[in-house]
Amino acid sequence: MSHHGPIVHFSSVAGAYAAYRPTYPTRLFDWLAAEAPAHDLAWDCGAGSGQASRALAERFALVVATDASHAQLAAGERIPRVHVWAAPAERSGIRSGRANLIAVAQALHWFDLNAFYQEVRRVMRPGGLLAVWTYADPKLDGAPGRALAEFAVRVRAYWPAGRSLVDSGYRTIPFPFAERAVPAFAMTAEWPLDAVVGYVGTWSAVGAYRAAHRDDPTVRLRDELRRTWGDPAQPRRLTWSLSVRAARV
């Protein structure tokens, strides 16, 4: 898959992406650390603004966080024990045989998979763990959830081709390793109305919709949510199902 589209999109929304993203569950990182054969080095590949890097750094001596987008990396905070540099997933710059864990959070669908998997085999120590995960549209509590679901349908045609891999929970993606059983994980967030609209504004489908129509569909969404939200500063719960695949390499 070409990187040009995702790099342009994520560079343009890097600040919003850092501000309006759900956080992954602590249980996921506890499980990754327990499954990894050692805790010397974890590679956070496609790290973006660091949604997974901080949690990995609490469990590994060193985290290498790479992303093809300089702007995404720059939008993240500096984290102790996390070394950040811009590099494509397929050419990380990490020395061979170093990683105990390679984690890919919501990014695998952008990669050239064959080249990336070759890089995984080069960088990973024998017996190291590869874990990839993704999530699709959230469920929002109450009547505003209907407005959010209808909005997702309106912009669905504007997702890039890799979105079908996300919607399938990466189950249709080639994964040429001996898989391990993975517990069920979910993400939750308690957000006010503006945070929900800000999060939706980071979707690449929304960026494509804006470019195609010279119109921002989140303005209409905000109005629709206001009708049933109540106090817009009052948080409501969002839930994302997290689909994780993992294997020893």
Side-chain angles (χ1 to χ4, degrees):
M1 183 182 295
S2 167
H3 287 287
H4 178 72
I7 291 174
V8 169
H9 167 70
F10 289 124
S11 295
S12 67
V13 300
Y17 199 93
Y20 299 120
R21 283 279 134 170
T23 55
Y24 300 116
T26 299
R27 285 182 55 247
L28 169 62
F29 296 103
D30 290 343
W31 182 82
L32 294 175
E35 290 292 313
H39 302 101
D40 302 329
L41 187 146
W43 175 22
D44 184 4
C45 181
S49 52
Q51 276 77 25
S53 299
R54 174 175 288 282
L56 291 171
E58 293 171 355
R59 295 161 175 83
F60 289 81
L62 176 66
V63 176
V64 175
T66 66
D67 198 279
S69 167
H70 290 266
Q72 275 276 81
L73 294 171
E77 59 180 323
R78 299 283 73 86
I79 303 168
R81 296 194 302 281
V82 177
H83 290 198
V84 176
W85 65 74
E90 303 82 2
R91 297 185 305 282
S92 68
I94 300 172
R95 286 192 314 208
S96 298
R98 291 293 310 280
N100 307 121
L101 169 72
I102 298 174
V104 184
Q106 192 71 353
L108 188 68
H109 51 289
W110 298 117
F111 298 170
D112 177 333
L113 291 176
N114 288 335
F116 171 64
Y117 290 146
Q118 288 180 347
E119 184 72 344
V120 166
R121 293 183 179 100
R122 183 188 71 78
V123 170
M124 190 80 84
R125 287 184 180 178
L129 184 73
L130 171 65
V132 304
W133 61 89
T134 189
Y135 58 91
D137 298 341
K139 300 292 189 292
L140 174 62
D141 276 359
R146 289 192 290 276
L148 184 60
E150 290 166 3
F151 175 85
V153 171
R154 281 203 298 276
V155 302
R156 181 161 298 281
Y158 296 88
W159 285 108
R163 177 65 183 194
S164 61
L165 302 175
V166 171
D167 288 337
S168 74
Y170 284 168
R171 290 295 141 195
T172 60
I173 211 163
F175 199 67
F177 306 100
E179 288 198 58
R180 299 182 67 79
V182 179
F185 297 105
M187 297 185 298
T188 61
E190 300 277 347
W191 283 348
L193 188 153
D194 282 350
V196 173
V197 175
Y199 159 68
V200 166
T202 68
W203 292 2
S204 52
V206 171
Y209 187 102
R210 288 176 179 137
H213 296 277
R214 299 188 180 278
D215 176 56
D216 186 349
T218 67
V219 174
R220 176 179 167 189
L221 173 64
R222 185 189 301 274
D223 290 341
E224 292 170 343
L225 290 174
R226 276 180 176 153
R227 289 179 196 138
T228 56
W229 193 282
D231 178 0
Q234 181 67 34
R236 285 179 177 265
R237 177 179 290 268
L238 292 94
T239 306
W240 296 258
S241 293
L242 204 60
S243 178
V244 183
R245 299 182 74 178
R248 297 250 181 243
V249 177

